[in-house]
Amino acid sequence: MTDPETPRALLLTGHWFSNLPPALQDALLESACQRQLEPGQRLFCRGDPPCGLYAVLEGAIRVGAVSRDGKEALLTLVEAPYWFGEISLFDGQPRTHDAYAEGATRLLQIPQTSLLALLEREPRYWREFALLMSQKLRLAFIALEDMSLLPAAPRLARRLLLMAEGYGETGERRSLHLAQEQLALMLALSRQTTNQILKELQARGALRLTYGEIEILDLQLLRQAAGMLD
């Protein structure tokens, strides 16, 4: 029986890794090393050279950027068993954003040199990494459309739905470890506006708010709030 604490067992709960050819799964795990980050520790910054592909095993990675005047943009919180870092694999260019540990975090890293050597030997595997990147691109287009077309309340509800559905990578989950301030940063909303919308959703019975956590109680109500149901 497989130890549930092993990286393979955890990664197999994710859509991308579980659908890889077994030989590619083996190759990635054989090349991988584990890294442990302390809360707030930097993984990489915008402009850093490529350093490989990562998967979150425990904790979360905060991906975003800070402007020169100190204004922060939070793109996403990457949680287990999510993979990230593939853009620099394709173009060899520097990192596009900052990545920091949100709490104690354990990662699996496949170094860039190992990945490139693998793909030199087995170029057919490029498609698998392209699928990983295309999923992120699809979500980015959806987020851009929502930002342009939707008012704050349905936009917030849609982001909660995406997170509850694991961004298409994992199965449905009802408990989101997410502070209201973080959600506000993701959606470019004020903390006050975010709190008001969440309290309205709580009053409707769609969710429950606790410290640092949002519990989804009724997905149908949340879909209605998101404008996805008549």
Side-chain angles (χ1 to χ4, degrees), residues 14-109:
H15 176 77
W16 181 72
F17 187 81
S18 65
N19 283 280
L20 294 180
L24 179 53
Q25 293 179 2
D26 292 340
L28 291 176
L29 292 173
E30 288 168 3
S31 302
C33 59
Q34 290 195 38
R35 294 187 57 182
Q36 185 75 39
L37 299 183
E38 298 300 319
Q41 185 176 345
R42 182 185 74 177
L43 180 62
F44 54 74
C45 283
R46 170 181 285 175
D48 284 354
C51 49
L53 188 67
Y54 294 91
V56 181
L57 301 178
E58 292 178 2
I61 292 290
R62 184 186 185 104
V63 180
V66 179
S67 67
R68 291 181 179 178
D69 61 0
K71 186 176 181 180
E72 182 181 5
L74 177 61
L75 298 184
T76 188
L77 286 175
V78 181
E79 298 180 284
Y82 211 72
W83 291 80
F84 65 101
E86 71 280 355
I87 293 177
S88 292
L89 171 64
F90 278 87
D91 61 15
Q93 296 299 305
R95 293 298 187 187
T96 58
H97 292 89
D98 306 325
Y100 287 83
E102 182 75 12
T105 301
R106 184 165 60 100
L107 300 166
L108 202 69
Q109 178 186 11

Side-chain angles (χ1 to χ4, degrees), residues 144-213:
L144 285 172
E145 180 180 343
D146 289 349
M147 188 76 74
S148 299
L149 300 179
L150 293 179
R155 183 152 49 93
L156 183 148
R158 290 196 181 196
R159 177 57 67 96
L160 291 179
L161 282 170
L162 274 176
M163 297 182 71
E165 294 163 355
Y167 292 105
E169 176 61 15
T170 61
E172 184 181 294
R173 58 185 182 141
R174 296 301 182 101
S175 182
L176 306 178
H177 299 285
L178 180 72
Q180 293 186 32
E181 181 182 0
Q182 293 170 331
L183 183 60
L185 286 171
M186 287 182 187
L187 297 167
L189 298 174
S190 70
R191 173 74 165 73
Q192 293 75 16
T193 297
T194 300
N195 179 258
Q196 179 183 348
I197 296 170
L198 288 172
K199 285 186 174 179
E200 290 172 357
L201 289 170
Q202 180 173 245
R204 293 171 61 179
L207 53 81
R208 179 186 295 119
L209 301 174
T210 57
Y211 182 75
E213 187 172 314

